[in-house]
Amino acid sequence: MTRGGSAHRAYSVVVFVVLASLDNVAIGLVPPLYGSIGAAFGVGSGHIALATTIMFLISAVAAIGFAYAGDRTDRKPVLILGTLIWIAGTAWSGFSESYPSFLTSQIVAAFGLGAVASVSFAVVSDLISPRRRGLVMSFWGLSQGVGTLAGTLIGGLLGHADWRRPFLITAVVGVVATVAYLFTYNVPRGDSQPELAGVEYDERIHHDHLPLILRRRTNIWLILQGSTAQIALGSLVWLPVLFQVRAEDQGYSAGTAIVIGSVFATLFQAGGALSILGGLVGDRLQRRTPRGRSLVAAVGVLAAVPFYMVLFFVPMRIDVPDGAGTGGIIQAVLADVFTEPTVGLCLAVAVFALMLTSANSPNWFALIADVNPPEHRGTVYSLGNLVNGFGRAGGNIMVAAAFRGLAGAFPPPLNYAVGLAAFQLFWVPTGVMFWLASRTVARDMADTHAALLARAAQLEGAQLEGGPDGDVGGDPPVAVEGLAAHQKPGAGR
């Protein structure tokens, strides 16, 4: 495998995608095991849910520091350090003997997780050309969704008998992924940016760049949209609980109900795999207009709301053998999809709704790369991730309170259905913010494109003269065509 060649770059993208999925696996382990972990430590499920909420917040805050360090220094050591920290915290969770120990271990893991997505995002954005960003970022976003699903599935299937096992297995997988990461390509900043072809670009972020970042209006909308999108997504963490309670309401034992809930939640979120379509459509429309990606995201999340409102109220008749082994329950649930019309209908609605909302993530990732120079991308992503973390934590807290408040008027599992449906209305302001981003993105892309061209010209001049590189501050007044022109087939490398 030639260093920096196409095979090495493809291998590097795969490893970064796997690393990004594992941090979501670590977060997704806990919700299916709220009851089991709480019972082991003699606390209620709410105490364990608090650990998940804190994990969202800590990882989001830590991501800013790690992203800034990655944009400022060599990114590889930063990512390795963060990965080792979350592995240690996850393993510690599996060995915890008390609630304080478990809570502390989750905080440690969350701190390390802050490095993985933010730094990996900056590296992957340098590995792919602008015209392919939507497609590759769809795999990036898909990996995070798959990670959450895998965490839910691993937690429910491997943890229903012993809740510690999923944490220990995930930590071991993390070690393997870290070893694989050591052999990835150490990609230079801006490596696949068309404007920087042929020059050595090694700009670093400085502490006084934040006003410049926030002066790009598109960044404001891209950062803020997560405040409401993640409230809706944070509420979906409770999907395993909804299906578990439905199973218990039909008379199934707690152990069988946990497995049923995890399998159904995994099946119902399979529509996230269709985020690839959102990335492809975003790429295609972006070649026609700089507003393409943001419009695809806006239409997707707004169109999904009615389907979510229907999803949680379609009655389901679950037919699985109570007390059967994990394999038998999985087989029975899969059979229900084809033999029980209500289950098949629910699955179809869920897949379509999640397909629409999944247009959000690949286009969000690609837009961050479109309107920001390479040295700012990790930090902008982390700012968005901070808002995402607070939104997701807020959704997790608020929906739990909503379930309790609704229980008086709607007995379980109806209270869960009503609460989850109501929280999907938070997609509406998200769609509006993507539409607002579509109004500013062309100008911000053109400004960034101009700044990169000016810097490339300066670097070429310095290299020809054999002199030192200079600094370019602000947005140089260069009249050039927008970056969208470089997103036509054949423009990238």
Side-chain angles (χ1 to χ4, degrees):
M1 188 164 56
T2 305
R3 181 173 180 80
S6 58
H8 195 193
R9 295 166 75 91
Y11 166 81
S12 301
V13 170
V14 170
V15 171
F16 285 122
V17 166
V18 170
L19 283 172
S21 69
L22 285 177
D23 70 343
N24 285 271
V25 170
I27 292 176
L29 291 176
V30 182
L33 303 173
Y34 282 163
S36 301
I37 299 173
F41 296 142
V43 299
S45 297
H47 287 78
I48 310 303
L50 176 64
T52 301
T53 301
I54 293 175
M55 199 173 192
F56 290 150
L57 297 177
I58 296 294
S59 63
V61 173
I64 294 180
F66 279 116
Y68 183 83
D71 285 343
R72 184 82 179 140
T73 62
D74 187 357
R75 295 178 290 204
K76 204 161 193 174
V78 175
L79 189 53
I80 290 175
L81 175 63
T83 302
L84 292 177
I85 291 173
W86 82 253
I87 290 172
T90 301
W92 180 3
S93 297
F95 289 115
S96 295
E97 297 293 341
S98 66
Y99 176 69
S101 175
F102 179 80
L103 182 60
T104 305
S105 69
Q106 289 285 284
I107 292 173
V108 171
F111 181 77
L113 289 173
V116 178
S118 58
V119 179
S120 295
F121 169 79
V123 177
V124 171
S125 70
D126 284 333
L127 276 168
I128 54 176
S129 63
R131 67 189 180 92
R132 295 189 183 95
R133 276 181 184 147
L135 175 60
V136 177
M137 289 303 180
S138 69
F139 286 107
W140 176 265
L142 175 61
S143 74
Q144 299 191 19
V146 169
T148 302
L149 289 177
T152 300
L153 195 60
I154 291 170
L157 299 185
L158 299 182
H160 73 283
D162 179 5
W163 68 265
R164 300 177 186 276
R165 189 185 308 163
F167 294 95
L168 301 178
I169 291 175
T170 301
V172 171
V173 175
V175 172
V176 174
T178 304
V179 173
Y181 171 65
L182 295 175
F183 300 97
T184 57
Y185 175 48
N186 197 8
V187 57
R189 283 181 176 81
D191 187 57
S192 60
Q193 198 70 34
E195 303 92 331
L196 303 175
V199 300
E200 294 183 8
Y201 183 86
D202 196 29
E203 291 294 295
R204 308 296 175 98
I205 194 171
H206 297 282
H207 67 276
D208 57 351
H209 285 189
L210 183 61
L212 177 61
I213 288 172
L214 297 181
R215 199 157 64 234
R216 300 183 192 108
R217 293 293 298 275
T218 308
N219 281 339
I220 300 296
W221 301 122
L222 293 178
I223 291 169
L224 291 180
Q225 62 82 31
S227 61
T228 52
Q230 293 297 325
I231 290 177
L233 288 172
S235 70
L236 295 179
V237 170
W238 288 81
L239 268 180
V241 179
L242 168 65
F243 297 120
Q244 176 187 337
V245 174
R246 279 186 170 181
E248 291 175 345
D249 187 57
Q250 294 183 32
Y252 289 96
S253 62
T256 299
I258 290 175
V259 178
I260 290 173
S262 296
V263 175
F264 269 119
T266 302
L267 284 176
F268 279 36
Q269 294 190 63
L274 299 176
S275 64
I276 296 171
L277 295 178
L280 285 170
V281 174
D283 278 347
R284 182 175 292 274
L285 192 57
Q286 189 74 6
R287 292 168 192 153
R288 299 185 178 184
T289 170
R291 302 181 66 187
R293 300 194 203 281
S294 48
L295 289 176
V296 169
V299 171
V301 297
L302 290 174
V305 173
F307 293 95
Y308 277 120
M309 302 302 289
V310 170
L311 169 63
F312 304 113
F313 295 102
V314 176
M316 286 176 52
R317 182 181 178 277
I318 303 169
D319 184 14
V320 302
D322 194 14
T326 300
I329 295 175
I330 294 175
Q331 185 177 359
V333 169
L334 293 176
D336 282 352
V337 173
F338 301 99
T339 60
E340 294 292 339
T342 56
V343 174
L345 177 61
C346 280
L347 180 60
V349 173
V351 167
F352 195 70
L354 284 157
M355 177 192 72
L356 292 171
T357 52
S358 292
N360 173 340
S361 63
N363 291 292
W364 183 70
F365 294 134
L367 281 166
I368 290 175
D370 284 345
V371 302
N372 292 284
E375 67 272 19
H376 289 173
R377 291 171 186 166
T379 299
V380 175
Y381 174 89
S382 70
L383 290 172
N385 197 46
L386 176 65
V387 174
N388 289 353
F390 276 95
R392 197 170 186 183
N396 200 28
I397 292 172
M398 289 189 292
V399 76
F403 291 152
R404 290 192 297 269
L406 290 168
F410 305 100
L414 187 57
N415 65 319
Y416 290 98
V418 172
L420 285 170
F423 271 78
Q424 304 319 302
L425 292 174
F426 282 99
W427 286 115
V428 174
T430 299
V432 171
M433 282 187 269
F434 270 114
W435 177 78
L436 291 171
S438 76
R439 301 182 63 186
T440 61
V441 66
R443 181 189 63 205
D444 289 337
M445 288 173 65
D447 288 347
T448 298
H449 173 59
L452 290 175
L453 281 178
R455 182 56 175 153
Q458 188 179 40
L459 288 170
E460 287 177 345
Q463 290 168 9
L464 289 173
E465 296 173 6
D469 295 344
D471 273 340
V472 176
D475 295 329
V478 181
V480 293
E481 57 197 346
L483 185 58
H486 287 261
Q487 295 176 316
K488 296 177 182 178
R493 288 182 290 170

Coordinates of all heavy atoms in Angstrom, one line a residue, residues 4-5 8-10 12-13 16 67 70-76 117-133 136-137 140 185-197 199 201-205 365-366 368-370 372-379 448 452 492-493:
G4 N 0.1 7.4 1.2 CA -0.6 8.6 0.6 C -1.3 8.3 -0.7 O -1.9 9.1 -1.3
G5 N -1.1 7.0 -1.2 CA -1.8 6.6 -2.4 C -3.3 6.4 -2.2 O -3.8 6.5 -1.1
H8 N -4.2 3.8 0.4 CA -3.8 4.2 1.8 C -4.9 5.3 2.2 O -5.3 5.3 3.4 CB -2.4 4.8 1.8 CG -1.9 5.0 3.2 ND1 -0.8 5.7 3.5 CD2 -2.3 4.5 4.4 CE1 -0.5 5.7 4.8 NE2 -1.4 5.0 5.3
R9 N -5.3 6.2 1.3 CA -6.3 7.2 1.7 C -7.6 6.5 2.0 O -8.3 6.9 2.9 CB -6.4 8.2 0.6 CG -5.1 9.0 0.3 CD -5.2 9.7 -1.0 NE -6.0 10.9 -0.9 CZ -5.7 12.1 -0.6 NH1 -4.4 12.4 -0.3 NH2 -6.5 13.1 -0.5
A10 N -8.0 5.5 1.1 CA -9.3 4.8 1.4 C -9.2 4.1 2.7 O -10.2 4.1 3.5 CB -9.5 3.8 0.2
S12 N -7.5 4.9 5.3 CA -7.6 6.0 6.3 C -9.0 6.4 6.6 O -9.4 6.6 7.7 CB -6.7 7.1 6.0 OG -5.3 6.7 5.8
V13 N -9.7 6.6 5.5 CA -11.1 7.1 5.6 C -11.9 6.0 6.4 O -12.7 6.3 7.3 CB -11.8 7.3 4.2 CG1 -13.3 7.5 4.4 CG2 -11.1 8.6 3.6
F16 N -11.1 6.1 10.1 CA -11.7 7.3 10.8 C -13.2 7.1 10.9 O -13.8 7.5 11.9 CB -11.4 8.5 10.0 CG -10.0 9.0 10.1 CD1 -9.2 9.2 9.0 CD2 -9.5 9.3 11.4 CE1 -7.9 9.6 9.2 CE2 -8.2 9.7 11.5 CZ -7.4 9.9 10.4
A67 N -10.6 19.9 19.5 CA -10.6 20.3 18.1 C -9.7 21.5 17.9 O -9.0 21.6 16.9 CB -12.0 20.8 17.7
G70 N -6.3 20.1 17.7 CA -6.0 19.5 16.5 C -5.8 20.5 15.3 O -5.0 20.2 14.4
D71 N -6.6 21.6 15.3 CA -6.4 22.6 14.3 C -5.1 23.4 14.5 O -4.6 24.0 13.6 CB -7.6 23.6 14.3 CG -8.9 23.0 13.7 OD1 -8.7 22.0 13.0 OD2 -10.0 23.5 13.9
R72 N -4.6 23.3 15.7 CA -3.4 24.1 16.1 C -2.1 23.3 15.9 O -1.0 23.9 15.6 CB -3.6 24.6 17.5 CG -2.5 25.5 18.0 CD -2.7 26.9 17.6 NE -1.6 27.8 18.1 CZ -1.1 28.8 17.4 NH1 -1.5 29.0 16.1 NH2 -0.1 29.5 17.9
T73 N -2.2 22.0 16.2 CA -1.0 21.2 16.2 C -1.2 19.9 15.3 O -2.1 19.8 14.5 CB -0.7 20.7 17.6 OG1 -1.8 19.9 18.1 CG2 -0.6 21.9 18.6
D74 N -0.3 18.9 15.5 CA -0.4 17.7 14.8 C -1.6 16.9 15.3 O -1.8 16.7 16.5 CB 0.9 16.9 15.0 CG 0.9 15.6 14.2 OD1 -0.1 15.3 13.5 OD2 1.9 14.9 14.3
R75 N -2.5 16.5 14.4 CA -3.8 15.9 14.8 C -3.7 14.5 15.3 O -4.5 14.0 16.1 CB -4.8 16.1 13.6 CG -5.1 17.5 13.3 CD -6.0 17.7 12.1 NE -5.4 17.3 10.9 CZ -5.8 17.7 9.7 NH1 -6.9 18.6 9.6 NH2 -5.3 17.3 8.6
K76 N -2.7 13.8 14.8 CA -2.6 12.3 15.1 C -2.5 12.1 16.6 O -3.2 11.3 17.2 CB -1.5 11.7 14.3 CG -1.7 10.2 14.1 CD -0.8 9.7 13.0 CE -1.3 8.3 12.6 NZ -0.6 7.8 11.4
A117 N -14.6 12.5 17.3 CA -15.4 13.0 16.1 C -14.9 14.3 15.6 O -14.7 14.5 14.4 CB -16.9 13.2 16.5
S118 N -14.5 15.3 16.5 CA -14.1 16.6 16.0 C -12.8 16.6 15.3 O -12.7 17.2 14.2 CB -14.0 17.6 17.2 OG -13.1 17.1 18.2
V119 N -11.8 15.9 15.8 CA -10.5 15.8 15.1 C -10.6 14.9 13.8 O -10.1 15.2 12.8 CB -9.4 15.3 16.0 CG1 -8.1 15.2 15.3 CG2 -9.3 16.2 17.3
S120 N -11.3 13.8 13.9 CA -11.5 12.9 12.8 C -12.2 13.6 11.6 O -11.8 13.5 10.4 CB -12.3 11.7 13.1 OG -11.6 10.9 14.1
F121 N -13.2 14.5 12.0 CA -13.9 15.2 10.9 C -13.0 16.1 10.1 O -13.0 16.2 8.9 CB -15.0 16.1 11.6 CG -15.6 17.0 10.6 CD1 -16.6 16.6 9.7 CD2 -15.3 18.4 10.6 CE1 -17.1 17.5 8.8 CE2 -15.8 19.3 9.7 CZ -16.7 18.9 8.8
A122 N -12.1 16.8 10.8 CA -11.2 17.7 10.2 C -10.2 17.0 9.2 O -9.9 17.4 8.1 CB -10.3 18.5 11.2
V123 N -9.8 15.8 9.7 CA -8.9 15.0 8.8 C -9.6 14.5 7.6 O -9.1 14.6 6.5 CB -8.3 13.8 9.6 CG1 -7.5 12.9 8.7 CG2 -7.5 14.3 10.8
V124 N -10.8 13.9 7.8 CA -11.6 13.4 6.7 C -11.9 14.4 5.7 O -11.9 14.2 4.4 CB -12.9 12.6 7.2 CG1 -13.8 12.2 6.0 CG2 -12.5 11.4 8.0
S125 N -12.3 15.7 6.1 CA -12.6 16.7 5.2 C -11.4 17.1 4.3 O -11.6 17.6 3.2 CB -13.1 18.0 6.0 OG -12.0 18.6 6.7
D126 N -10.2 16.8 4.8 CA -9.0 17.1 4.0 C -8.7 15.9 3.1 O -7.9 16.1 2.1 CB -7.8 17.3 4.9 CG -7.8 18.7 5.5 OD1 -8.3 19.6 4.9 OD2 -7.2 18.8 6.6
L127 N -9.3 14.8 3.3 CA -9.0 13.6 2.4 C -9.9 13.5 1.2 O -9.6 12.8 0.3 CB -9.2 12.3 3.3 CG -8.0 11.9 4.1 CD1 -8.5 10.8 5.1 CD2 -6.9 11.4 3.3
I128 N -11.0 14.3 1.2 CA -11.9 14.1 0.1 C -12.1 15.5 -0.7 O -12.1 16.5 0.0 CB -13.3 13.7 0.6 CG1 -13.8 14.6 1.7 CG2 -13.2 12.2 1.1 CD1 -15.2 14.2 2.2
S129 N -12.3 15.4 -2.0 CA -12.5 16.6 -2.8 C -13.9 17.2 -2.6 O -14.8 16.4 -2.2 CB -12.3 16.3 -4.2 OG -13.2 15.4 -4.7
P130 N -14.1 18.5 -2.8 CA -15.4 19.1 -2.6 C -16.6 18.4 -3.3 O -17.7 18.3 -2.8 CB -15.2 20.5 -3.1 CG -13.8 20.8 -2.9 CD -13.1 19.5 -3.2
R131 N -16.3 17.9 -4.5 CA -17.5 17.4 -5.3 C -17.9 16.0 -4.7 O -19.0 15.6 -5.1 CB -17.1 17.2 -6.8 CG -16.0 16.2 -7.0 CD -15.5 16.2 -8.5 NE -14.5 15.2 -8.8 CZ -14.7 14.0 -9.3 NH1 -16.0 13.7 -9.5 NH2 -13.7 13.2 -9.5
R132 N -17.2 15.4 -3.9 CA -17.6 14.1 -3.3 C -17.9 14.2 -1.8 O -18.2 13.2 -1.1 CB -16.5 13.1 -3.4 CG -16.1 12.7 -4.9 CD -15.2 11.5 -4.9 NE -14.8 11.2 -6.2 CZ -13.7 11.6 -6.8 NH1 -12.8 12.4 -6.2 NH2 -13.4 11.2 -8.1
R133 N -17.9 15.5 -1.3 CA -18.1 15.6 0.2 C -19.4 15.1 0.7 O -19.5 14.4 1.7 CB -18.0 17.1 0.5 CG -16.6 17.6 0.7 CD -16.5 19.0 1.1 NE -15.1 19.4 1.2 CZ -14.7 20.6 0.9 NH1 -15.5 21.6 0.5 NH2 -13.4 20.9 1.0
V136 N -19.2 11.1 0.8 CA -18.3 10.6 1.8 C -18.8 11.0 3.2 O -18.8 10.1 4.2 CB -16.9 11.0 1.6 CG1 -16.0 10.6 2.7 CG2 -16.3 10.5 0.3
M137 N -19.3 12.2 3.3 CA -19.8 12.6 4.6 C -21.1 11.8 5.0 O -21.5 11.7 6.2 CB -20.1 14.1 4.7 CG -18.8 14.9 4.7 SD -17.7 14.5 6.1 CE -16.4 15.6 5.8
W140 N -19.8 9.0 6.8 CA -19.4 9.5 8.1 C -20.6 9.6 9.0 O -20.5 9.2 10.2 CB -18.7 10.9 7.9 CG -18.3 11.6 9.2 CD1 -19.0 12.5 9.9 CD2 -17.1 11.4 9.9 NE1 -18.3 12.9 11.0 CE2 -17.1 12.2 11.0 CE3 -16.0 10.6 9.7 CZ2 -16.1 12.2 11.9 CZ3 -14.9 10.6 10.6 CH2 -15.0 11.4 11.7
Y185 N -2.9 7.4 7.0 CA -2.2 8.5 6.3 C -2.3 9.7 7.1 O -3.4 10.2 7.4 CB -2.8 8.6 4.9 CG -2.2 9.8 4.1 CD1 -0.8 10.0 4.0 CD2 -3.0 10.7 3.4 CE1 -0.3 11.0 3.2 CE2 -2.5 11.7 2.6 CZ -1.1 11.9 2.6 OH -0.6 12.9 1.8
N186 N -1.2 10.3 7.4 CA -1.1 11.6 8.1 C -1.4 12.7 7.1 O -0.4 13.4 6.6 CB 0.2 11.8 8.9 CG 0.1 12.9 10.0 OD1 -1.0 13.4 10.3 ND2 1.2 13.2 10.5
V187 N -2.6 13.0 6.8 CA -3.0 13.9 5.7 C -2.6 15.3 6.0 O -2.9 15.8 7.1 CB -4.5 13.7 5.4 CG1 -5.3 14.0 6.6 CG2 -4.9 14.6 4.2
P188 N -2.0 16.0 5.0 CA -1.7 17.5 5.2 C -3.0 18.3 5.2 O -4.0 17.9 4.6 CB -0.8 17.8 4.0 CG -0.3 16.5 3.5 CD -1.4 15.5 3.8
R189 N -3.0 19.4 5.9 CA -4.2 20.3 5.8 C -4.5 20.8 4.4 O -3.5 21.1 3.7 CB -4.0 21.5 6.7 CG -4.2 21.2 8.2 CD -4.0 22.4 9.1 NE -4.3 22.1 10.5 CZ -3.4 21.5 11.3 NH1 -2.2 21.2 10.9 NH2 -3.7 21.3 12.6
G190 N -5.7 20.7 4.0 CA -6.1 21.2 2.7 C -5.6 20.4 1.6 O -5.6 20.8 0.4
D191 N -5.4 19.1 1.8 CA -4.7 18.2 0.8 C -5.6 18.0 -0.4 O -5.0 17.9 -1.5 CB -4.5 16.8 1.5 CG -3.7 15.9 0.6 OD1 -2.5 16.3 0.2 OD2 -4.1 14.8 0.3
S192 N -6.9 18.0 -0.3 CA -7.8 17.8 -1.5 C -8.5 19.0 -1.9 O -9.4 19.0 -2.7 CB -8.8 16.7 -1.2 OG -9.6 17.0 -0.1
Q193 N -8.1 20.2 -1.4 CA -8.8 21.5 -1.7 C -8.3 21.9 -3.1 O -7.1 22.1 -3.2 CB -8.5 22.5 -0.6 CG -9.5 23.7 -0.6 CD -10.9 23.3 -0.2 OE1 -11.1 22.4 0.7 NE2 -11.9 23.9 -0.8
P194 N -9.1 22.1 -4.1 CA -8.6 22.5 -5.4 C -7.8 23.7 -5.4 O -6.8 23.8 -6.2 CB -9.9 22.7 -6.2 CG -11.0 21.9 -5.5 CD -10.6 21.9 -4.1
E195 N -8.1 24.7 -4.6 CA -7.4 26.0 -4.7 C -6.0 25.9 -4.2 O -5.1 26.7 -4.5 CB -8.1 27.1 -3.8 CG -9.5 27.3 -4.1 CD -10.5 26.4 -3.3 OE1 -10.1 25.3 -3.0 OE2 -11.6 26.9 -3.1
L196 N -5.7 24.8 -3.4 CA -4.4 24.7 -2.8 C -3.5 23.6 -3.5 O -2.5 23.2 -3.0 CB -4.5 24.3 -1.3 CG -5.4 25.2 -0.5 CD1 -5.6 24.7 0.9 CD2 -4.7 26.6 -0.4
A197 N -3.9 23.2 -4.6 CA -3.2 22.2 -5.4 C -1.8 22.7 -5.7 O -1.6 23.8 -6.2 CB -3.9 21.8 -6.7
V199 N 0.7 23.5 -3.6 CA 1.3 24.3 -2.6 C 1.3 23.5 -1.2 O 0.5 22.7 -1.0 CB 0.7 25.7 -2.4 CG1 0.7 26.5 -3.7 CG2 -0.8 25.5 -1.9
Y201 N 0.4 23.8 2.3 CA -0.5 24.7 3.1 C -0.5 24.1 4.5 O -0.9 23.0 4.7 CB -1.9 24.7 2.5 CG -2.9 25.6 3.2 CD1 -3.0 26.9 2.9 CD2 -3.8 25.0 4.1 CE1 -3.9 27.7 3.5 CE2 -4.7 25.8 4.8 CZ -4.8 27.2 4.4 OH -5.7 28.0 5.0
D202 N 0.0 24.9 5.4 CA 0.0 24.4 6.8 C -0.5 25.5 7.8 O 0.2 25.7 8.8 CB 1.4 23.9 7.2 CG 1.4 23.0 8.4 OD1 0.4 22.4 8.7 OD2 2.4 23.0 9.2
E203 N -1.5 26.2 7.4 CA -2.1 27.2 8.3 C -2.6 26.6 9.5 O -3.2 25.5 9.5 CB -3.2 28.0 7.5 CG -2.7 28.8 6.4 CD -1.8 30.0 6.9 OE1 -2.2 30.8 7.6 OE2 -0.6 29.9 6.5
R204 N -2.5 27.3 10.6 CA -3.0 26.9 11.9 C -4.0 27.9 12.5 O -3.9 29.1 12.2 CB -1.9 26.7 12.9 CG -0.8 25.8 12.4 CD -1.2 24.3 12.2 NE -0.2 23.5 11.6 CZ 0.6 22.7 12.3 NH1 0.4 22.6 13.6 NH2 1.5 21.9 11.7
I205 N -5.0 27.4 13.2 CA -5.9 28.3 13.8 C -5.3 29.2 14.9 O -4.3 28.7 15.6 CB -7.2 27.6 14.4 CG1 -8.3 28.5 14.7 CG2 -6.8 26.8 15.6 CD1 -9.6 27.8 15.0
F365 N -22.2 18.2 7.5 CA -20.8 18.0 7.5 C -20.2 18.7 6.3 O -19.1 19.4 6.4 CB -20.5 16.5 7.5 CG -20.9 15.8 8.7 CD1 -21.5 14.6 8.6 CD2 -20.6 16.3 10.0 CE1 -21.9 13.8 9.7 CE2 -21.0 15.6 11.1 CZ -21.6 14.3 11.0
A366 N -20.7 18.4 5.1 CA -20.2 19.0 3.9 C -20.2 20.5 3.8 O -19.3 21.1 3.3 CB -20.9 18.4 2.6
I368 N -20.0 22.6 6.4 CA -18.9 23.1 7.2 C -17.6 23.1 6.5 O -16.9 24.1 6.5 CB -18.8 22.2 8.5 CG1 -20.0 22.4 9.4 CG2 -17.5 22.6 9.3 CD1 -20.0 21.5 10.6
A369 N -17.3 22.1 5.7 CA -16.1 22.0 4.9 C -16.2 23.0 3.8 O -15.2 23.6 3.4 CB -15.9 20.6 4.4
D370 N -17.4 23.2 3.2 CA -17.5 24.2 2.0 C -17.2 25.6 2.4 O -16.6 26.3 1.6 CB -18.9 24.1 1.5 CG -19.2 22.8 0.7 OD1 -18.2 22.1 0.3 OD2 -20.3 22.5 0.4
N372 N -15.6 26.9 5.2 CA -14.5 27.2 6.1 C -13.2 26.6 5.5 O -13.1 25.6 4.9 CB -14.7 26.5 7.5 CG -15.9 27.1 8.2 OD1 -15.8 28.2 8.8 ND2 -17.0 26.4 8.2
P373 N -12.1 27.4 5.8 CA -10.8 26.9 5.4 C -10.4 25.7 6.2 O -10.9 25.5 7.3 CB -9.8 28.1 5.6 CG -10.5 28.8 6.7 CD -12.0 28.7 6.5
P374 N -9.4 24.9 5.8 CA -9.1 23.6 6.5 C -8.7 23.8 8.0 O -9.1 23.0 8.8 CB -7.8 23.1 5.7 CG -8.0 23.6 4.4 CD -8.7 25.0 4.5
E375 N -8.1 24.9 8.3 CA -7.6 25.1 9.7 C -8.7 25.5 10.7 O -8.5 25.6 11.9 CB -6.5 26.2 9.8 CG -6.9 27.6 9.4 CD -6.8 27.9 8.0 OE1 -6.8 26.9 7.2 OE2 -6.8 29.1 7.6
H376 N -9.9 25.8 10.1 CA -11.1 26.2 11.0 C -12.1 25.0 11.1 O -13.0 25.1 12.0 CB -11.8 27.4 10.4 CG -11.0 28.7 10.5 ND1 -11.4 29.8 9.9 CD2 -9.8 28.9 11.2 CE1 -10.5 30.8 10.2 NE2 -9.6 30.3 10.9
R377 N -12.0 24.0 10.3 CA -13.1 23.0 10.2 C -13.3 22.3 11.5 O -14.5 22.0 11.9 CB -12.9 22.1 9.1 CG -13.0 22.8 7.7 CD -12.5 21.9 6.6 NE -12.5 22.7 5.3 CZ -11.9 22.2 4.2 NH1 -11.3 21.1 4.2 NH2 -12.0 23.0 3.1
G378 N -12.3 21.8 12.1 CA -12.4 21.0 13.4 C -13.1 21.9 14.5 O -13.9 21.4 15.2
T379 N -12.7 23.1 14.6 CA -13.2 24.0 15.6 C -14.7 24.3 15.3 O -15.5 24.3 16.3 CB -12.4 25.3 15.7 OG1 -11.0 25.0 16.0 CG2 -13.0 26.2 16.7
T448 N -14.5 32.3 1.2 CA -13.5 31.3 1.6 C -12.6 30.9 0.5 O -11.4 30.8 0.6 CB -14.2 30.1 2.3 OG1 -14.9 30.5 3.4 CG2 -13.1 29.0 2.6
L452 N -8.5 31.4 0.1 CA -7.6 30.2 -0.2 C -6.8 30.5 -1.4 O -5.6 30.2 -1.5 CB -8.4 28.9 -0.3 CG -9.1 28.4 1.0 CD1 -9.9 27.2 0.7 CD2 -8.0 28.0 2.0
G492 N -12.1 18.3 -8.7 CA -11.3 17.8 -7.6 C -10.3 16.8 -8.0 O -10.2 16.3 -9.1
R493 N -9.5 16.4 -7.0 CA -8.5 15.4 -7.2 C -8.9 14.1 -6.7 O -9.7 14.0 -5.8 CB -7.1 15.8 -6.5 CG -6.5 16.9 -7.2 CD -5.1 17.2 -6.4 NE -5.4 17.7 -5.1 CZ -4.4 17.9 -4.2 NH1 -3.2 17.6 -4.5 NH2 -4.7 18.4 -3.1

